[in-house]
Amino acid sequence: MFPLQRGRRLRTNESIRSLVRETTLSPSDFMFPMFIAEGENYKSEIPSMPGIFRRSLDLTVEEVKEIFALGIRAVNIYVKVDESLKDNTGKEAWNPNGLMQQAIRAIKAACPEMIVMPDVALDPYSIYGHDGIIENGDIANDATNEALVKMAVSHAQAGADFVAPSDMMDGRVLRLRQGLDAAGFHQVGIMSYSAKYASAFYGPFRDALDSAPREADVVVPKDKKTYQMDYANRIEAIKEALMDVEEGADMVMVKPGIAYLDIVREVKNAVPVPVTVFHVSGEYAMIKAAAQRGWLDHDKIMMEQLMCIKRAGASLISTYFAKEAAILMSK
């Protein structure tokens, strides 16, 4: 008790604070989400995500080499699919010569040590903007799982290190593990989006991929709340994460990040596998907008939020700030 104990002794200067710091952050804690588009020498900034671009394959490869040199060791990749390739089956998702498959091969050829985790969900390929196949006005869970297995196996064939199912279909981790193993890809891991909430923080991401639910001539769900989680729920997140681990997930994810740090800690305490946290597009965009107006110190807020995510229990942080943070840390 005071005066024998004085907490300020351990805060006297930065040298002492660094000695007793409980949480540390490094570029190897980050995964960089990347958006890939058709074309050559193509780079287009996403208006709602300043500093984040859709890139053609050639420029994507150059960016991957650059961030690897900064110490970032994982990328989570997404593709912008041409409208003519979209339908209600998602069949373009497992085209061996599709944009995603080309991207995986190109990244692994150029930077073999970069861990590539392609997104596994049908929304970029869906004419309805949903993560699954529409049947009778709803998402057909089991039919969607069959499509996701084909998609994941095609990613493994292209050279993916992990597949990252973000769809939130019931039982998809088990089906993916069985499908990958049956195809001989026992070494390919699964990073499951286990606690993915139906959040309004995803808006800029959907702008990037044009993957928001759409109006349609047939009856379709107007949002993703029948498969993504209710943000009022906590215990459900633990249950979903534990189920995914039982089904074969090597890592689990909580999404979004900063607004869900209580869930991160709950999941971290419950599961015996690494926990990934997605610091999502809306969280990124809010910092960018406030900093542009001079309301917040961009770099200080960026680093504080990343440290808080790590402190909450993240083993890996998927963040659009990965490159900026790594550059700042290198200085």
Side-chain angles (χ1 to χ4, degrees):
M1 63 168 55
F2 177 85
L4 300 179
Q5 289 291 337
R6 292 177 180 264
R8 290 182 59 190
R9 291 185 191 125
L10 300 180
R11 306 177 202 136
T12 302
N13 55 52
E14 177 56 25
S15 292
I16 292 176
R17 291 191 294 270
S18 67
L19 286 175
V20 299
R21 189 159 288 142
E22 299 173 26
T23 307
T24 59
L25 199 63
S26 75
S28 62
D29 292 318
F30 304 143
M31 177 162 60
F32 192 32
M34 303 186 75
F35 299 110
I36 301 167
E38 296 281 4
E40 187 174 350
N41 196 32
Y42 173 81
K43 179 180 177 181
S44 175
E45 188 172 37
I46 299 159
S48 54
M49 301 176 70
I52 300 299
F53 299 84
R54 302 184 194 96
R55 290 179 171 85
S56 54
L57 279 178
D58 53 337
L59 298 187
T60 296
V61 165
E62 292 307 309
E63 181 77 348
V64 167
K65 292 178 181 177
E66 187 174 338
I67 64 172
F68 189 84
L70 290 168
I72 296 167
R73 294 293 178 262
V75 291
N76 190 201
I77 57 176
Y78 304 84
V79 293
K80 176 74 167 63
V81 179
D82 188 89
E83 288 295 316
S84 66
L85 299 174
K86 296 182 180 183
D87 61 15
N88 188 37
T89 70
K91 63 181 182 295
E92 178 61 21
W94 54 90
N95 177 357
N97 295 312
L99 182 57
M100 178 66 88
Q101 290 76 6
Q102 292 181 51
I104 296 167
R105 288 192 291 266
I107 293 170
K108 293 301 292 186
C111 192
E113 294 181 64
M114 181 64 83
I115 301 301
V116 179
M117 301 191 189
D119 180 59
V120 176
L122 295 185
D123 50 329
Y125 303 90
S126 169
I127 54 173
Y128 303 124
H130 274 286
D131 291 41
I133 297 168
I134 303 293
E135 291 181 1
N136 301 317
D138 197 6
I139 308 299
N141 190 94
D142 296 359
T144 296
N145 283 345
E146 292 178 13
L148 297 176
V149 170
K150 296 176 186 176
M151 187 178 184
V153 169
S154 77
H155 293 174
Q157 290 169 337
D161 300 282
F162 284 76
V163 294
S166 63
D167 56 286
M168 289 297 288
M169 297 297 112
D170 291 335
R172 91 277 206 208
V173 173
L174 177 61
R175 294 291 176 261
L176 290 176
R177 187 69 272 157
Q178 292 171 332
L180 289 167
D181 289 354
F185 294 108
H186 303 87
Q187 80 283 6
V188 174
I190 298 174
M191 182 193 69
S192 174
Y193 289 57
S194 298
K196 181 179 180 180
Y197 285 84
S199 171
F201 282 105
Y202 306 150
F205 174 92
R206 290 173 181 168
D207 291 343
L209 292 184
D210 190 23
S211 61
R214 307 178 181 188
E215 296 287 335
D217 294 333
V218 300
V219 176
V220 299
K222 61 181 174 51
D223 53 40
K224 301 190 177 187
K225 293 181 179 179
T226 67
Y227 46 103
Q228 294 178 359
M229 285 178 50
D230 183 344
Y231 59 72
N233 293 354
R234 176 180 62 87
I235 295 172
E236 183 184 10
I238 301 170
K239 182 185 76 171
E240 291 282 351
L242 287 171
M243 288 171 60
D244 282 359
V245 172
E246 290 175 355
E247 292 179 14
D250 301 283
M251 291 189 270
V252 298
M253 176 183 276
V254 176
K255 182 181 179 182
I258 283 294
Y260 293 77
L261 293 187
D262 60 320
I263 306 301
V264 175
R265 175 44 58 184
E266 293 272 14
V267 170
K268 178 67 173 180
N269 289 343
V271 300
V273 299
V275 176
T276 303
V277 176
F278 206 139
H279 193 210
V280 298
S281 59
E283 295 168 324
Y284 174 89
M286 290 193 311
I287 293 176
K288 289 293 184 182
Q292 286 174 353
R293 288 161 177 76
W295 297 341
L296 294 174
D297 183 309
H298 177 278
D299 290 352
K300 289 181 179 179
I301 290 291
M302 171 181 71
M303 296 308 297
E304 182 176 343
Q305 288 206 354
L306 293 171
M307 184 68 80
C308 291
I309 294 171
K310 180 77 180 294
R311 187 195 65 216
S315 300
L316 180 64
I317 305 169
S318 184
T319 176
Y320 300 98
F321 286 118
K323 184 180 180 181
E324 288 179 275
I327 291 171
L328 187 63
M329 294 163 77
S330 73
K331 297 177 181 178

